[in-house]
Amino acid sequence: MNELIEKLKKQFDEKLAEVSDENSLEKLRLDFLSKKGQISGLMKELAKVPNEKKKEYGQMINTFKQELTEQFDARREELLKKQEELLIRMTESYDESLPTGNPCGSYHPITLVQRELEDIFESMGFNVEDYNEIVDDYHCFEALNIPKFHPARDMQDTYYLTTPNQLLKSHTSAAQNAILKKYGPALKESGRPIRAVFPGRCFRNEAIDASHENTFFQMEGIMVDKDISVSNLIYFMKTMLSEVFGREVTVRLRPGFFPFVEPGFELDIKCLICGGSGCSSCKNSGWLELCPCGMIHPNVLKYGGINTEEDPYEYTGFAFGLGLTRLAMMKYGVGDIRAFNSGDLNVLSQFVSR
Ligand code: DAH
């Protein structure tokens, strides 16, 4: 029996040394360790052995089988590891000189200005409202005291859809009527003032140049309550603009005409670059035109369901229409409005909120 085992061991060692892949490994297992393999053959030999030797030989065979199994497992491990390493080398070939790290995206400058304004207005108790880009003639014009064929429509030529009476809103004022109707009931029932801002994309049929675009952003705001006056308007505008520019700003109002406000104003701020003495940024006037505004026209409040015919001044309010695009140009010193819609990352990825 000893000789048999010796012989088999020698054969096994030789074959094991030759094993180079999974197939030859499996062949070896079938040859020696499977049910029909050589070790099982040894067990059969055991039957021929005299009884008194059976136990001893049996143990010998078991120990031998264990030894072979251990050697076999070790070789299998080794092979697997080699294969893994080879796979890693094949799949992980990369160029170490390539720049690492993903470039980080950045917010569009108009988004930055919009969010900053939203935060400021929210801190002053305003709701931020969303509104459609496609509106009807009533909301964009008539509810704002701009009847059909009114000359004020000329300045707001926009894009009309083939669906009748549908157009792309030419100003954020188009949301005023809906917002008055939304918050009017709370104002009347519980005396909660209406305070809302509504940023949005606006469209106009414009000839495009460095300061005109057919697509731009505005942020409209309204406040309605009892006894709201121009003083409230000035206070909110001045507080908001001081926050935006990070320093105290001086404002002034000039008369301006917009059919949906009475009186209507152009609000200017004292030039932040020259302090009012005159420079190229303010065209030597010392002032920068920033935001049209005014006291909401009684008709607009009536159409919005706030006041009745009998008492058209029960509630009063102010409205303003900030040009977000223009504000972003001023804040970030962007000289050409076309940069905003250009998709040019060299320009657009430079801005960070303060
Ligand atoms: N909607 C006007 C425009 O785009 C701007 C405007 C003027 C808005 C006066 C207002 C306002 O709320 O009171 O030309």
Side-chain angles (χ1 to χ4, degrees):
M1 183 57 79
N2 266 340
E3 281 158 33
L4 254 177
I5 288 179
E6 278 301 311
K7 204 173 121 203
L8 272 182
K9 170 122 183 74
K10 213 168 150 233
Q11 277 179 15
F12 181 82
D13 284 348
E14 275 166 15
K15 293 234 162 109
L16 191 69
E18 283 166 19
V19 161
S20 58
D21 55 21
E22 255 175 272
N23 285 345
S24 44
L25 190 76
E26 178 60 8
K27 197 160 170 289
L28 185 73
R29 190 187 69 79
L30 290 172
D31 233 11
F32 286 86
L33 298 164
S34 69
K35 272 188 187 154
K36 289 183 182 158
Q38 311 255 28
I39 305 264
S40 300
L42 273 186
M43 285 295 190
K44 277 176 204 141
E45 289 297 314
L46 205 57
K48 298 177 197 160
V49 165
N51 274 352
E52 63 274 19
K53 288 275 181 190
K54 272 203 169 100
K55 193 176 171 197
E56 186 192 337
Y57 287 168
Q59 271 170 359
M60 272 170 75
I61 296 170
N62 273 338
T63 317
F64 178 53
K65 186 179 178 185
Q66 209 173 330
E67 265 175 40
L68 293 196
T69 310
E70 276 166 20
Q71 269 179 280
F72 177 86
D73 286 346
R75 183 79 183 112
R76 190 171 55 186
E77 280 286 295
E78 223 175 275
L79 257 177
L80 280 176
K81 217 167 147 204
K82 263 198 192 150
Q83 275 176 348
E84 233 168 65
E85 278 168 8
L86 189 72
L87 201 71
I88 289 172
R89 242 180 293 136
M90 275 161 51
T91 52
E92 272 200 5
S93 58
Y94 59 90
D95 182 352
E96 280 179 36
S97 66
L98 283 176
T100 54
N102 292 325
C104 228
S106 63
Y107 285 111
H108 193 283
I110 293 177
T111 306
L112 292 174
V113 173
Q114 179 182 326
R115 295 210 176 148
E116 197 179 332
L117 283 170
E118 285 175 5
D119 285 350
I120 296 168
F121 277 110
E122 272 181 333
S123 76
M124 296 194 288
F126 282 70
N127 294 331
V128 179
E129 296 288 325
D130 206 11
Y131 196 64
N132 309 343
E133 288 178 355
I134 298 174
V135 296
D136 59 19
D137 188 272
Y138 178 77
H139 287 90
C140 203
F141 301 118
E142 293 202 24
L144 290 163
N145 202 31
I146 312 176
K148 292 225 170 7
F149 310 113
H150 191 286
R153 289 195 179 211
D154 288 355
M155 292 189 312
Q156 306 227 357
D157 187 18
T158 180
Y159 301 94
Y160 288 79
L161 278 70
T162 43
T163 321
N165 198 27
Q166 300 278 288
L167 48 118
L168 298 183
K169 73 168 182 253
S170 56
H171 53 174
T172 40
S173 309
Q176 279 197 20
N177 185 265
I179 287 171
L180 291 173
K181 285 179 177 153
K182 180 173 175 184
Y183 291 110
L187 170 68
K188 289 181 198 168
E189 282 154 28
S190 51
R192 188 165 175 265
I194 301 176
R195 277 175 295 193
V197 284
F198 23 110
R201 196 199 315 250
C202 304
F203 308 84
R204 281 190 205 174
N205 183 12
E206 291 277 2
I208 296 171
D209 62 26
S211 46
H212 296 89
E213 248 292 7
N214 56 23
T215 307
F216 54 95
F217 288 78
Q218 291 185 338
M219 182 184 268
E220 187 96 357
I222 54 171
M223 176 167 186
V224 180
D225 197 2
K226 288 208 160 130
D227 302 323
I228 295 291
S229 71
V230 178
S231 316
N232 299 103
L233 167 65
I234 295 175
Y235 168 79
F236 276 103
M237 290 287 105
K238 199 171 144 67
T239 309
M240 178 272 289
L241 292 169
S242 299
E243 284 282 330
V244 171
F245 290 104
R247 59 183 125 148
E248 190 78 6
V249 297
T250 310
V251 300
R252 75 171 185 190
L253 296 182
R254 282 181 292 121
F257 174 73
F258 304 95
F260 35 94
V261 278
E262 178 57 37
F265 309 106
E266 289 288 355
L267 183 139
D268 301 336
I269 58 168
K270 197 171 256 186
C271 180
L272 296 166
I273 306 205
C274 64
S277 56
C279 67
S280 60
S281 295
C282 59
K283 295 185 191 122
N284 278 321
S285 70
W287 294 90
L288 293 168
E289 188 178 317
L290 206 80
C291 156
C293 53
M295 300 306 294
I296 303 176
H297 194 284
N299 282 350
V300 175
L301 290 174
K302 189 174 74 185
Y303 302 147
I306 302 294
N307 287 332
T308 56
E309 197 86 56
E310 293 71 50
D311 190 359
Y313 291 99
E314 185 185 358
Y315 293 96
T316 50
F318 65 75
F320 58 88
L322 252 180
L324 275 186
T325 304
R326 206 170 119 70
L327 196 63
M329 286 173 82
M330 284 172 65
K331 191 173 152 94
Y332 294 113
V334 177
D336 192 325
I337 196 171
R338 290 168 289 196
F340 289 129
N341 289 346
S342 67
D344 180 352
L345 293 183
N346 280 333
V347 178
L348 298 176
S349 61
Q350 297 176 44
F351 306 98
V352 283
S353 56
R354 77 183 147 92

